[in-house]
Amino acid sequence: MQTLQSHAAFAPKSHTQQPIVTGTSVLGLVYKDGIMLAADNLASYGSLARFRDVERLISVGNYTIVGASGDISDFQYLKHTLDSVVTKEYSLDDGHELSPSNVYEYLSRLMYNRRSKMDPLWNSLAIGGFRDGEKFLGFVDLQGTTYKSSTVATGFGAYLATPILRKAVE
């Protein structure tokens, strides 16, 4: 008798062609005393505002926050992957903890790897954190494109909020 897992090994591999349940903008900025990330809790099913309690900001370790716009199921995959990385790092018990820049670099390589395999994770990510007096804010998208800035915005907010945030920070 075949199990579901062995049956899945013979099934054709499918890739996400387009996101179904999505979240929109995440905004981030660096200010005098730290960083701030903001996102709403709405996830849309197509054009229907369906889920009103979806957390799109997660903590990674003790120093980092990751916010995502795009496909919610792909973000859940990222959350489980990051939880595994943090658990593995903790179990090494070597006194090292992941910094915001470590998480940023890991996510940039993960997103680029998935893009190169023609199976991208349909997310844009804002990564922010504060460690040892150093503020960090960066952006990673589904192609693995990255940048660090004093302001970041994902989704439609990148078009609307970025100029306003940049003017306010400068």
Side-chain angles (χ1 to χ4, degrees), residues 64-86:
T64 310
I65 300 290
V66 175
S69 62
D71 192 62
I72 299 300
S73 64
D74 285 348
F75 183 55
Q76 289 170 338
Y77 168 80
L78 282 172
K79 181 181 184 308
H80 291 297
T81 302
L82 289 169
D83 286 345
S84 297
V85 169
V86 169

Side-chain angles (χ1 to χ4, degrees), residues 34-63:
I35 65 108
M36 182 182 350
L37 287 177
D40 62 0
N41 290 344
L42 180 68
S44 299
Y45 180 76
S47 61
L48 175 67
R50 174 67 179 93
F51 305 102
R52 299 182 186 279
D53 60 348
V54 177
E55 293 291 328
R56 295 189 300 115
L57 296 174
I58 60 167
S59 63
V60 180
N62 294 323
Y63 304 106

Side-chain angles (χ1 to χ4, degrees), residues 146-157:
T146 62
Y147 67 88
K148 300 173 196 173
S149 180
S150 59
T151 63
V152 297
T154 68
F156 194 63

